Amino acid sequence: MIATRLHPDKQAAAQAIAREIADLIEIRSKSGKPTVLGLATGSTPLPLYGELIRLHREEKLSFRAVITFNLDEYEGLGPTHPQSYRSFMEENLFRHLDIPKANIHIPDGLTSDAAKHCADYEAAIHAAGGIDLQLLGIGRTGHIGFNEPPSAADSRTRRVHLDELTRRDNSAFFGDLAQVPHGALTMGVATILEARRVELIAFGEAKADIVRRAMKETPSAGCPATWLQQHPRCTFHLDAAAAKAL
Ligand code: PGA
């Protein structure tokens, strides 16, 4: 079941989701429990990360008891590469918060044993108690994380090949298509579906068609975001442009 929540603009969506995250952290910390967040990269979550930083600075929201697992990382990019998701997260979120470094998990794009690294990533999520809230963007291919079509509902954290449309869409960050890696490590669809709550964010007209497909098409590997229909607690946060085709 996918619920939709329409927001007047990106900033309003960021404020609403940041408030939900803050409430979750506060509720769990009252009973002495950590909060496990699944995090996403790309341009979509940036206003949300800005708002979380504001809540930390101005409202003293603490991330000391937060554990994070990022969805994915480009293959071949190390932590200091400016386009790696590790640097993206450091720059746009982590370095502004009080989250302990040991609580941050992002797949290692330089691993020499991807199969083992991915199995260890799954085990670390499990050991942390599972993901309480997973943030997602959606790619125009229907990917969630880097689960490009075809991605089965039972897929796990693994090495994947990026779709050419995704490489083109992400080339803006690299300045040049040739610089965009061809591979990535990503949490699987099953990994994402196991999160207790999923909050997907999509803005703008370019996402309208894929948002419609994700919500209306019969779930299939050909459009991986359709698997979210099988999640018991998934919300699509949209602006009017992204909701246009619904
Ligand atoms: P975007 O990417 O936020 O840059 O649009 C979303 C995604 O590919 O999941």
Side-chain angles (χ1 to χ4, degrees):
M1 243 287 283
I2 297 177
T4 48
R5 194 159 161 200
L6 209 58
H7 299 276
D9 54 39
K10 291 181 187 184
Q11 204 47 41
Q15 283 167 5
I17 303 164
R19 181 52 61 194
E20 285 187 33
I21 292 173
D23 289 347
L24 183 66
I25 294 172
E26 276 162 27
I27 288 168
R28 290 187 64 83
S29 69
K30 270 190 193 132
S31 45
K33 294 186 192 134
T35 303
V36 184
L37 299 179
L39 299 180
T41 48
S43 49
T44 305
L46 285 174
L48 168 61
Y49 293 161
E51 182 61 14
L52 289 174
I53 294 165
R54 192 194 68 75
L55 288 177
H56 172 63
R57 286 192 181 144
E58 295 176 15
E59 298 186 22
K60 305 279 171 276
L61 175 66
S62 174
F63 290 78
R64 266 193 290 274
V66 171
I67 300 171
T68 65
F69 289 91
N70 264 80
L71 283 164
D72 44 21
E73 178 60 283
Y74 288 113
E75 197 172 31
L77 301 195
T80 58
H81 189 289
Q83 301 320 326
S84 72
Y85 285 162
R86 168 71 70 166
S87 1
F88 177 98
M89 291 306 300
E90 278 299 326
E91 193 54 37
N92 293 298
L93 187 65
F94 297 140
R95 75 184 179 90
H96 307 281
L97 305 178
D98 59 347
I99 183 166
K101 275 210 178 326
N103 289 11
I104 295 169
H105 304 83
I106 303 180
D108 176 6
L110 296 181
T111 181
S112 57
D113 187 345
K116 180 178 183 307
H117 183 66
C118 292
D120 289 349
Y121 204 72
E122 291 274 341
I125 294 172
H126 189 73
I131 292 170
D132 294 305
L133 186 153
Q134 176 68 55
L135 292 175
L136 292 177
I138 184 169
R140 291 196 297 151
T141 60
H143 73 212
I144 46 176
F146 270 142
N147 291 283
E148 301 285 16
S151 286
D154 63 358
S155 55
R156 289 283 165 185
T157 304
R158 69 200 185 288
R159 207 174 145 208
V160 292
H161 195 73
L162 295 177
D163 194 285
E164 282 309 302
L165 177 58
T166 298
R167 291 188 65 248
R168 276 208 303 282
D169 281 350
N170 290 6
S171 64
F173 293 100
F174 288 81
D176 175 11
L177 180 61
Q179 302 301 315
V180 185
H182 288 271
L185 302 176
T186 183
M187 276 187 203
V189 174
T191 325
I192 292 170
L193 291 179
E194 278 169 7
R196 286 183 271 282
R197 246 164 103 173
V198 174
E199 312 290 339
L200 181 144
I201 315 170
F203 299 133
E205 202 172 340
K207 297 288 173 76
D209 189 53
I210 197 63
V211 163
R212 177 191 59 75
R213 291 183 57 203
M215 297 193 66
K216 309 276 187 203
E217 283 187 1
T218 303
S220 79
C223 182
T226 54
W227 295 124
L228 295 170
Q229 293 172 31
Q230 299 180 349
H231 194 281
R233 198 171 173 199
C234 174
T235 303
F236 277 22
H237 296 266
L238 309 170
D239 63 2
K244 210 172 120 179
L246 294 179

